[in-house]
Structures are given as structure tokens and as C-alpha cells.
Amino acid sequence: MNWEELTEAAAAISWVTNLATADDAGRPHVAAVSVGFTQERMWFASRGSSRKIRNLRLNQQVALHWPVVTGTGPGELFMRGTARLHDSAEARRRLWTEANLAYDPAAFFQSPDNPDLVFVEIAPTYASLLG
């Protein structure tokens, strides 16, 4: 799949996906996130105090799953990737508008000056579309 096909499939399925991370003991954790797409990267914002961010500080490997929703999208999309955290004050201010989020971050974080705000960049390493 090329980048355009991947982003079109994800957008057609749902604006929400399931993100899998693992803690330091290898225990899995799944959280719903909404990703934005830009320049062959996926982005979302989260609270630094969240379980997914605590896990990503230990292990940057992630899996994402857009499930089949009856009557929508081209199928079921699976992806794996490597996450990178951006939590400096400069990064928060820059990415507030550049991350191309699928939602208004002010609804969750008030402003880019929120010290608990972390932007997550995911570089995909594998994608598969079934259906």
C-alpha cells in the first residue's frame, strides 16, 4: 500500500482507531485514539500522564487497528509502527497546528502551554488492508 491508499482507507473506515502499546513487563494496553496524517506520518495528542504515553516512554513499538464497521470503508486496516514523543514546550507550540490532528486539541488540552500535553508521531513500518 502506498501512503495515499493507506490514509484514504483509514479515513473511510473511521476517524478513531485502536492503538496497542505494551508496558515494561510486556503486558498489552489498548486505547482509542484519533490520528491525523501528514508527510507519511501519523499524529495524535495525549496526556503525558496517560497509560499509553507511560508505555511509549518504555517501548516505542505500536500496533493500530481500524476495525470493519458494517457499511463503511474498504475493509479492516492493520498497521505497525514506531512512535516518537514530542513534549518540549517548543514542540507543543509548533505541533499544535502542524500535526494535522483530526480534532481541535483545545477541546482536550486548552492550549499548547499545557505541560501534560504530548504529541505522538508514528512512522508506519507495516500496513495491511483486509477486505
Side-chain angles (χ1 to χ4, degrees):
M1 294 182 88
N2 67 37
W3 183 248
E4 185 176 319
E5 292 169 332
L6 186 148
T7 59
E8 287 176 4
I13 296 168
S14 175
W15 65 281
V16 175
T17 185
N18 300 302
L19 172 80
T21 61
D23 68 12
D24 57 345
R27 291 180 297 254
H29 176 261
V30 176
V33 297
S34 181
V35 297
F37 298 92
T38 183
Q39 300 172 356
E40 299 196 9
R41 295 291 188 266
M42 292 175 287
W43 294 88
F44 69 90
S46 187
R47 299 197 181 283
S49 56
S50 70
R51 168 72 56 199
K52 62 185 162 290
I53 298 301
R54 291 195 314 265
N55 286 349
L56 289 172
R57 291 192 191 284
L58 300 168
N59 181 349
Q60 294 76 43
Q61 300 305 303
V62 299
L64 298 108
H65 175 238
W66 285 260
V68 171
V69 179
T70 304
T72 65
E76 184 174 19
L77 179 61
F78 296 92
M79 291 179 46
R80 284 192 299 263
T82 304
R84 182 174 168 211
L85 303 180
H86 300 268
D87 58 0
S88 70
E90 184 277 325
R92 289 193 305 267
R93 283 191 289 282
R94 180 176 49 81
L95 293 168
W96 188 258
T97 55
E98 289 180 15
N100 192 36
L101 299 178
Y103 52 88
D104 179 3
F108 299 94
F109 306 102
Q110 291 73 47
S111 82
D113 298 321
N114 183 334
D116 198 31
L117 170 61
V118 177
F119 283 93
V120 180
E121 172 187 8
I122 299 173
T125 56
Y126 171 83
S128 173
L129 180 62
L130 304 174

